[in-house]
Amino acid sequence: MGTVAALPRKVAVARKVREQPRWLIPLGLVAIALLAWTGYRAWAARQPYTWAGTVEARDIAVGSRVGGRVKEVLVREGERVEPGQPLMILEEGDLPAQRLQAEGQFLQAQAALDKLKGPGLTRGTGSLADQVARARAELTAAQVALDKTELDARRARTLFQQQVNTRAELDTAEASLRQARAERDARRFRLQELEQGTDADVRAQQGLVDTARGRLEAINVALGELTIRAPVASRVESLDLRPGDLLSPNATAATLVEDDQVYVRIFIPETHLGRLQPGSELPVHVDSFPERTFTGVVENIATQGEYTPRNLQTPDERASQVFATRIGLRQNGQHPLRAGMAAYVTVPK
C-alpha cells in the first residue's frame, strides 16, 4: 500500500521538473561561454608577441681595381677564409715593364734634381750653386767699394768747401761714387736673378720628381691589386671565375659572407614600439631548427617608420606604421643559420 501511494508523488515531482522554464538552459550555455572567453583572454594576454623576420648576413663583394686575366684561383665556394688570405691571382701583363720604365724616369728626375741642388749642372761657367756663391761675394765686394767711395766723396766735398781741393777733384770723387753705387746695384740684381732662377729650376725639377714617383707608386698599387684578398674573416659564398677568365676592373670577383655577423630584421608596429629597447635579449627560432633557441640582441631600431598611411587617425591606422628593427644573433660557435631563413622573434608582453 505504501509503495502504491508513493508512485503518484514521484510522478508529480518529475512533472514539476519538466515544467521548469526552458530559457535557463541557454542562459547556462552563455555563462559557460563567457567564462571560457574570459579565461582565453586572460591566457592570451599573458602570451608573448611573435614577429616574423628574415635571417640576413653581411656580404662583401671583392674584386680588383685593375682587372685582368685570372691566373690562379686559390679557394672554393663554402670555404672559410682569414683576413688577408689570397682568393685569386691575376696575370701581370705588361705591368712589370711599366714599373721598370717608371723607375728609370724617377731615377733620372731625381738625379737632375740633385745636380740642381749641388755641383754638376752648369749654366755659363760653374754650377748654379757656384754662380750664386760667386755673385754673393761680388755683391759684398761692391758694397765695400761703395762704402769707400762714399767716404772719399764726403772728404772731397769738405775739402772743396774749405777751398783746399779744386772743383775738378770734387767732380771726380762724385763720379766715382755714382759708378760704385751702380756697380753695387748691378751685382745685387745679378744675385737676385740667379737665386730666383735657381729656385724656379729646383721647383720645376721637383715637380718632375714627384710626378715620376706618383707614377711608380700607382704601378706598384696596380701590381698589388693583382692578388685579390679577403678583407675580413668570412665564408666564400660565390666564386664563378676560373683560370683564363677575364675580370673587368672594379667587377665582383667573389662574394663573401661574414657568417659571424648574422642578424634578423623584423618590423615592429608603432603601437608596440615601446616594448623593445636596444640591448634587450630576445629568443629567436627558425623552422630549420625547431628544437633550438638562438639568443638575439636588439642592435638598432629605425628612427623613421615605413609604410606610413596618409592619415593617422585611429589606433588601427597607426598600427600600419612599422619600424625596421635589427636583432643581432650572438655567436656561440659557428652559426648553422643562413641568410634567407625565416625567423621568429619572441617579445614578452
Side-chain angles (χ1 to χ4, degrees):
M1 293 291 294
T3 302
V4 175
L7 287 175
R9 192 179 299 114
K10 292 181 178 179
V11 171
V13 172
R15 183 179 300 164
K16 186 175 182 179
V17 171
R18 289 195 303 269
E19 291 176 355
Q20 292 293 330
R22 295 183 177 179
W23 56 270
L24 291 177
I25 296 175
L27 183 61
L29 295 176
V30 171
I32 294 173
L34 287 175
L35 289 174
W37 173 248
T38 302
Y40 171 77
R41 291 290 301 271
W43 173 83
R46 294 191 297 269
Q47 298 304 305
Y49 294 104
T50 300
W51 283 301
T54 304
V55 176
E56 300 182 19
R58 293 179 179 175
D59 56 3
I60 306 171
V62 295
S64 170
R65 287 184 292 178
V66 298
R69 189 180 301 277
V70 178
K71 179 180 180 181
E72 188 176 0
V73 178
L74 306 175
V75 295
R76 298 179 179 178
E77 291 184 352
E79 183 176 340
R80 289 195 58 80
V81 293
E82 299 301 323
Q85 179 176 341
L87 305 178
M88 68 178 62
I89 300 175
L90 304 180
E91 294 181 357
E92 295 180 341
D94 62 345
L95 285 177
Q98 293 184 31
R99 181 169 59 181
L100 287 175
Q101 183 180 6
E103 286 178 346
Q105 293 173 350
F106 171 71
L107 292 176
Q108 289 177 355
Q110 185 65 53
L113 179 61
D114 294 339
K115 289 180 180 180
L116 276 178
K117 291 183 176 180
L121 181 64
T122 60
R123 177 188 292 174
T125 59
S127 69
L128 288 177
D130 292 341
Q131 292 184 55
V132 170
R134 188 181 303 112
R136 188 174 289 114
E138 291 173 352
L139 174 61
T140 302
Q143 184 65 49
V144 172
L146 175 62
D147 294 340
K148 181 180 182 304
T149 54
E150 285 180 344
L151 290 174
D152 294 341
R154 283 197 297 269
R155 187 179 301 112
R157 191 175 297 110
T158 301
L159 293 174
F160 176 76
Q161 292 174 354
Q162 295 175 355
Q163 297 181 354
V164 175
N165 285 348
T166 63
R167 181 70 187 182
E169 292 175 328
L170 176 60
D171 292 342
T172 300
E174 290 182 345
S176 298
L177 176 62
R178 289 192 296 271
Q179 182 179 359
R181 185 176 291 117
E183 183 69 19
R184 191 275 317 270
D185 293 342
R187 297 298 181 183
R188 178 182 295 169
F189 178 78
R190 172 61 176 166
L191 176 61
Q192 292 176 349
E193 185 182 44
L194 287 174
E195 288 178 340
Q196 293 174 357
T198 301
D199 292 341
D201 291 338
V202 169
R203 288 195 300 270
Q205 190 61 38
Q206 184 66 57
L208 295 177
V209 171
D210 295 339
T211 301
R213 180 186 292 111
R215 172 62 177 165
L216 180 58
E217 292 177 354
I219 294 176
N220 288 331
V221 170
L223 286 170
E225 287 286 322
L226 296 179
T227 300
I228 301 175
R229 303 177 183 272
V232 296
S234 53
R235 177 174 49 82
V236 181
E237 180 71 10
S238 64
L239 198 164
D240 297 331
L241 294 175
R242 295 295 179 267
D245 289 343
L246 288 175
L247 179 66
S248 301
N250 301 316
T252 299
T255 301
L256 310 180
V257 174
E258 297 182 76
D259 51 9
D260 60 343
Q261 299 289 331
V262 181
Y263 60 94
V264 177
R265 191 180 302 279
I266 60 176
F267 295 87
I268 305 299
E270 179 190 355
T271 52
H272 300 298
L273 194 61
R275 302 183 183 278
L276 294 180
Q277 297 294 332
S280 302
E281 292 188 0
L282 302 172
V284 179
H285 299 85
V286 295
D287 293 335
S288 301
F289 305 96
E291 296 83 9
R292 295 188 59 175
T293 299
F294 301 90
T295 301
V297 179
V298 179
E299 295 182 346
N300 181 61
I301 301 175
T303 58
Q304 185 174 358
E306 303 179 33
Y307 313 119
T308 306
R310 292 184 178 180
N311 297 317
L312 302 178
Q313 301 295 335
T314 67
D316 291 337
E317 289 175 337
R318 288 196 296 272
S320 298
Q321 181 169 258
V322 294
F323 291 79
T325 303
R326 177 190 173 108
I327 310 296
L329 296 174
R330 286 192 170 177
Q331 178 79 1
N332 298 320
Q334 186 173 348
H335 270 308
L337 303 179
R338 293 291 183 267
M341 286 183 174
Y344 305 93
V345 179
T346 302
V347 180
K349 291 186 177 180

